[in-house]
Amino acid sequence: MTPRLVAGVDTSTQACKVVVRDAETGELVRFGRAPHPPGTEVSPSAWETAFTAAAEAAGGLADVGALSVGGQQHGMVCLDEDGAVVRDALLWNDVRSAGAAADLITELGNGDEAVGRQAWADAVGVVPVASFTGSKLRWLADAEPGNADRTAAVCLPHDWLTWRLARDRGLGDLVTDRGDASGTAYWSARTGEYRYDLLELAMRGRRPAVPRVAGPAEQVGVLAGTSAALGPGTGDNAAAALGLAARPGDVIVSIGTSGVVSAVTTTAVADVTGTVAGFADATGNHLPLIATLNAARVLDAAAAMLGVDHATLSDLALSAPSGAGGLVLVPYLEGERTPNLPHATGAVHGLTLRTATPAHVARAAVEGLLCGLADGMDAVLAQGVTVERVLLIGGAARSPAVQQLAPGIFGRPVVVPPPGESVADGAARQAAWVLSGAASAPDWAQPGLQAFESAPTPAVRERYAEVRGRTDGQ
C-alpha cells in the first residue's frame, strides 16, 4: 500500500526547504532546497520563487495529502486592497525600527518607560524591540506614510506564503496561527486575542486587516492545483519545537542565523524587562523565548578571519584551553537583540602575545557564542521554567566544538538530534496532524539522539560576564 505523504516547508531567512515525509511514521521520503536572496529587506515574491524551486527539487507535491509552512517570524509583509505587496518585506533581523520600538514603549506608558514595559508585558506578553512586526509598522508609519496609507492588510512571511499557495486568495483568506501571531506585539498568547488598539498605536491610527488565527491542526485551505489540505503553519521556533516533539521541561537551543533559547510550558510568561518573549507554541502551549542576532555567523566570521574551514575552526577551538587563556569575544557582530543593543559592535578582550593564536581566537569565538546563549537560558529559567533536558539544534550544532563545550557552559547535559530540518519537519508533522484529524500530533520516532556531558565551567561564564559588562554600555 502506498504510504500517505505530507509536506513541510521552511521559508527561512536564508532559504526555502521542503521535506516530504510519510504521514504515519515520519520517515523522510524526499527533500528539496532553494536559496533566498541576502539582506534584511526582501521582495516576498522571492519566497514563492524559491518554494517552487524547492518543491520541484523535492520531486513535486502532486502526491501529498497535506502541506504546512513554517517561516521566519516577525517579518512585515504589507498588502494593498488588491492583495499586491506594497513594499519589500522587512525581515526580523532588520534593526531600523529600534527607535520605533522605544517610542512605542514610552507612549504606552504615557512617557514613563518602566510603566510602558509593564503595560506591554501585561497586554501581549512581549515588550517591543526592533525585531517585532509592530515596531516595523511604526517605522513604516513614520518613515513611509504613503506606504502605510496603502496598507490594507499586514501579515507575516509564513502567512503570506500559505496564502499564495492556497486556492482562494482574498485578503479575508489570510490565516496565521498562535505561534507566529504571538511575535507581532499586537496579539496576546495569554488571551488568544488581537489587541487592535496596539496595532493602531503602531500604525498611528491606521487599522489594516490582520490574518485570522487558526487552531493548531485546522485545515485552512487547499493547495492550488491539488486536493492537498493546507495546515495553518507557524513561526520557525514553534515549528522547530513541534518537529522535535518538545514537551514541558525541554529547553531548545537553536544556533542558526539567529540564536534562540526557548522552552515549552503550559502557562503564559510575561517578562517586564522584555528579555524573554512570551510566545505561544504550535500545539496550544506556550514557548517563552529569547533570541540573539549573532549565532552561527559568529563561527562563519571567525573561520573567515582565521582563513580556515569550519572543521578546522572546531579542531582549533578544542585544542585551546578552557577559557581561551582569558581571551574573550563578545560577539555583537550585527548589533544585538538580547541584550537589546541594536547598534553595538563586537569586542575582543584579553589579547596578549600568549593568546594571539588561531586556537585561542577559535576557542573564544565558540565560548562567546555559547555564553551569550547561556545568558539567554538563565533569563528563560528565571521566568519559572523548569529544565529536564537541553536540545541543541541548528547548523552550528553540528560543530564538534559546540557539542563538546556546550554542556560545560550551559551547566547541563545536552542532547543533539541528527542533522535535519527541524522547522520543515515540524511543519510536516503539523500537516500530518491536519490530515489525520487526531486530537494530537503524530508520535513520530526520533532515532539518532546523541548525548553530551561534561563538568560545568563556571569560570568561563564569569570571565565572559566581566567583559560583557564593559561592552553592554555601547
Side-chain angles (χ1 to χ4, degrees):
M1 180 177 177
T2 302
R4 293 197 301 172
L5 302 179
V6 292
V9 180
D10 174 14
T11 182
S12 71
T13 310
Q14 295 180 318
C16 180
K17 283 91 71 172
V18 174
V19 299
V20 176
R21 291 189 172 271
D22 184 304
E24 302 296 332
T25 68
E27 181 180 356
L28 180 64
V29 177
R30 305 191 300 268
F31 170 77
R33 182 186 190 278
H36 284 160
T40 63
E41 185 174 3
V42 174
S43 170
S45 64
W47 304 332
E48 190 170 14
T49 299
F51 165 80
T52 299
E56 290 177 356
L61 302 174
D63 55 351
V64 304
L67 176 147
S68 287
V69 178
Q72 53 180 301
Q73 291 188 260
H74 314 312
M76 180 188 74
V77 183
C78 297
L79 305 176
D80 67 17
E81 60 184 10
D82 297 319
V85 174
V86 171
R87 70 170 326 278
D88 286 353
L90 298 187
L91 307 190
W92 65 274
N93 53 350
D94 190 294
V95 298
R96 72 185 73 181
S97 55
D103 291 344
L104 288 171
I105 293 170
T106 55
E107 287 173 23
L108 196 61
N110 293 316
D112 188 313
E113 180 182 351
V115 172
R117 287 181 174 277
Q118 185 69 63
W120 279 100
D122 291 344
V124 289
V126 300
V127 178
V129 293
S131 302
F132 295 159
T133 315
S135 303
K136 298 180 189 307
L137 288 174
R138 167 53 69 88
W139 174 88
L140 181 76
D142 289 346
E144 300 178 356
N147 283 335
D149 289 339
R150 289 180 56 209
T151 299
V154 60
C155 60
L156 304 169
H158 117 256
D159 310 341
W160 184 85
L161 186 58
T162 300
W163 180 70
R164 288 293 302 172
L165 298 179
R167 183 180 298 165
D168 301 312
R169 295 181 185 168
L171 291 184
D173 298 308
L174 285 166
V175 178
T176 192
D177 89 304
R178 297 174 67 253
D180 225 0
S182 60
T184 60
Y186 44 83
W187 186 86
S188 169
R190 180 177 57 82
T191 67
E193 297 178 346
Y194 278 112
R195 285 291 302 265
Y196 292 104
D197 58 324
L198 299 182
L199 174 63
E200 292 179 3
L201 178 67
M203 289 289 280
R204 294 205 179 276
R206 304 171 181 87
R207 185 168 163 177
V210 289
R212 179 178 67 84
V213 181
E218 179 184 340
Q219 179 176 340
V220 302
V222 176
L223 180 64
T226 75
S227 59
L230 282 175
T234 190
D236 50 5
N237 297 300
L242 185 59
L244 293 166
R247 58 183 186 266
D250 285 343
V251 172
I252 304 164
V253 178
S254 174
I255 315 178
T257 304
S258 61
V260 175
V261 178
S262 59
V264 178
T265 69
T266 57
T267 57
V269 166
D271 178 12
V272 68
T273 71
T275 301
V276 179
F279 293 162
D281 80 347
T283 70
N285 285 320
H286 297 269
L287 197 72
L289 174 152
I290 70 95
T292 66
L293 290 180
N294 299 280
R297 285 186 287 194
V298 174
L299 303 186
D300 293 342
M305 182 169 59
L306 296 175
V308 299
D309 60 19
H310 280 272
T312 304
L313 182 76
S314 178
D315 291 341
L316 286 168
L318 291 174
S319 73
S322 178
L327 184 66
V328 174
L329 169 65
V330 179
Y332 299 163
L333 307 186
E334 297 185 285
E336 190 45 83
R337 168 173 165 174
T338 306
N340 186 26
L341 298 168
H343 304 297
T345 57
V348 176
H349 193 273
L351 189 63
T352 65
L353 290 175
R354 181 173 56 88
T355 61
T357 73
H360 285 82
V361 171
R363 182 83 178 208
V366 175
E367 290 182 341
L369 167 62
L370 291 171
C371 282
L373 292 168
D375 287 348
M377 186 182 300
D378 287 348
V380 171
L381 299 183
Q383 298 301 310
V385 174
T386 58
V387 53
E388 297 174 4
R389 63 174 181 169
V390 176
L391 295 164
L392 188 64
I393 64 171
R398 303 175 190 178
S399 163
V402 170
Q403 294 172 349
Q404 294 179 44
L405 300 186
I409 291 174
F410 294 161
R412 294 172 176 84
V414 167
V415 176
V416 181
E421 298 295 341
S422 58
V423 175
D425 290 345
R429 190 166 178 239
Q430 184 191 74
W433 190 4
V434 172
L435 189 63
S436 71
S440 59
D443 187 16
W444 288 349
Q446 291 188 299
L449 296 176
Q450 287 185 283
F452 294 87
E453 295 188 47
S454 63
T457 54
V460 174
R461 291 198 60 196
E462 290 168 4
R463 170 66 174 151
Y464 178 83
E466 175 192 350
V467 176
R468 185 206 58 217
R470 305 174 188 177
T471 304
D472 286 357
Q474 292 187 65

